[in-house]
Structures are given as structure tokens and as C-alpha cells.
Amino acid sequence: MAVRINPSILTADFANLEHELGRIATADLVHVDVMDNHFVPNLTFGQRMVESLQRVTPLPLDVHLMIDDPDRWAPGYADAGAYSVTFHAEAVADPVALARRLRQIGARAGIAVKPGTAIEPYLELLPEFDQVLVMTVEPGFGGQSFIESTMPKLRQLRDAIGLGGLDVWLQVDGGINEQTIVTAAEAGADTFVAGSSVFNTGDPAAQIATLRAAAVAHVH
Ligand code: DX5
Ligand code: ZN
């Protein structure tokens, strides 16, 4: 199975993002954390940042919306050129309608669940999505510790994806480093977001290679 390493720019130097993107050129996608200070207690950036980032990197953008009312705002990120737009299950009113709208615009559609949110209600909706994001920390901040009790959700999702013969990427986000990526890969993840473990190092490209090798060795 293919493995994807998506560095999160949340821990990058916001004043030098073009330079920071250059340091992760070997990544598969760039993970862009949009926060509105309502859905999560932190504020980052919005649609114009996505447009600007896309102008200075050839990498596809993996936009993670930690915002209220994604039904209203998410399509704008697809319009802005995001390759993938992921909204939160806890915030959305009509996940199927929104996923269809995102796909219609040409983006991949993703749904995210916080650590305490059960996955069962969403299993039957899997054909509507290109990606499911299982948060492995409470959303809002980089640099937190991986919550291992989220792993059964990955196993449930991997089984459902296999049973349905579906092509849905299974993403984890939060506390991913060279140890926890093994746990997540063994549980069924194939797409790995890493913020502080990539950017809080002198050599992000080397860390991407280390993470990739660890994931490849343990993915199903
Ligand atoms: C947290 C964000 C993550 C964050 C991960 O709410 O969604 O993408 O950047 O950071 P690390 O890898 O440091 O846990
Ligand atoms: Zn994220």
C-alpha cells in the first residue's frame, strides 16, 4: 500500500513559508491547518493563504479545516486550489452534501474526527469520501502527545475500507514521530501528518525520509 507523508506547516516559520516549503520538497502533500478560534482555541489562516501557498509550491495542499460551519466555508478552499479539503464531523451539518460539493469542484473530500468522536456513524458514508482523518491529539495545537486509544478507530476503518473495496486514504494527525508512526501504520493508517517532528529538526528532508521508511516497513 502507498504511504504518504504530509508535513504540517503549523510548526513552520510563518514569516518564511516559501523557504519552509522548500525544505519539505520530498513530502507527498503539504498539510495546511486552518483554525478559526471557535471550533478550536487557536487561530491560523484562511483561504487567501491557501492561494498564496499554492503559487509557491508544486506540492498538492492537504487542507484541514478546524472551523465551525464548514458547510459554508469549505467549498471556497476547493475553489482556491486545495487538492484535498477535510472538514470535521463535529462541525458539519450535512457531510454528504458537502463532500459531493467538494468533489464536484475537483477536490478530494475528507472527513475528520476528534479523539473522542466515534467512527461508527460514518462507516456507511465511506464511499462519499476520499480520505478519513483520525485525530490522534485534540485539534488546536502542534507538539502534543499521540493518543494511542484512537487506534481501534483506524482498525475499524481499515476493515470497512477493505470490505467495501474502497479507495479511501486513512490519515492520522497529531503527535506523529518515528515511534508513533509505526503504531499508526500497524493499525491501518497510510497517510501521516507530522508537524513538530518534521519542522523542529535541523533537517526536515531527513526526518521525512525517516518517517517514510518507518511507515513503509509497517503499513499493511
Ligand atoms: C493539530 C493539527 C496538526 C498539527 C500536528 O490540531 O491538526 O496538524 O500540526 O502537529 P504535531 O505533529 O506537532 O502533533
Ligand atoms: Zn491538522
Side-chain angles (χ1 to χ4, degrees), residues 89-166:
E90 303 85 359
V92 71
D94 190 340
V96 170
L98 183 54
R100 289 180 182 173
R101 177 92 186 99
L102 292 170
R103 283 174 155 183
Q104 187 185 26
I105 297 169
R108 291 172 61 89
I111 187 161
V113 287
K114 298 204 278 189
T117 300
I119 201 65
E120 283 85 357
Y122 304 99
L123 295 177
E124 64 186 28
L125 306 183
L126 283 175
E128 302 285 347
F129 291 96
D130 301 295
Q131 168 167 293
V132 178
L133 166 49
V134 173
M135 289 301 301
T136 42
V137 299
E138 287 299 334
F141 300 92
Q144 303 180 79
S145 297
F146 180 80
I147 301 173
E148 194 159 345
S149 59
T150 56
M151 292 299 98
K153 286 194 275 192
L154 287 176
R155 291 187 202 100
Q156 278 178 285
L157 283 159
R158 179 53 63 204
D159 287 349
I161 290 167
L163 273 174
L166 302 170

Side-chain angles (χ1 to χ4, degrees), residues 59-76:
L59 292 173
L61 301 183
D62 173 41
V63 173
H64 176 194
L65 297 176
M66 285 160 278
I67 62 171
D68 282 342
D69 201 4
D71 305 76
R72 176 175 177 189
W73 301 110

Side-chain angles (χ1 to χ4, degrees), residues 6-12 33 141-145 173-178 193-202 204 207 211:
N6 301 1
S8 163
I9 57 167
L10 187 61
T11 313
D33 287 305
F141 300 92
Q144 303 180 79
S145 297
D173 180 9
I176 297 295
N177 57 36
E178 54 271 44
V193 176
S196 51
S197 90
V198 167
F199 280 104
N200 289 349
T201 159
Q207 181 63 6
L211 291 171

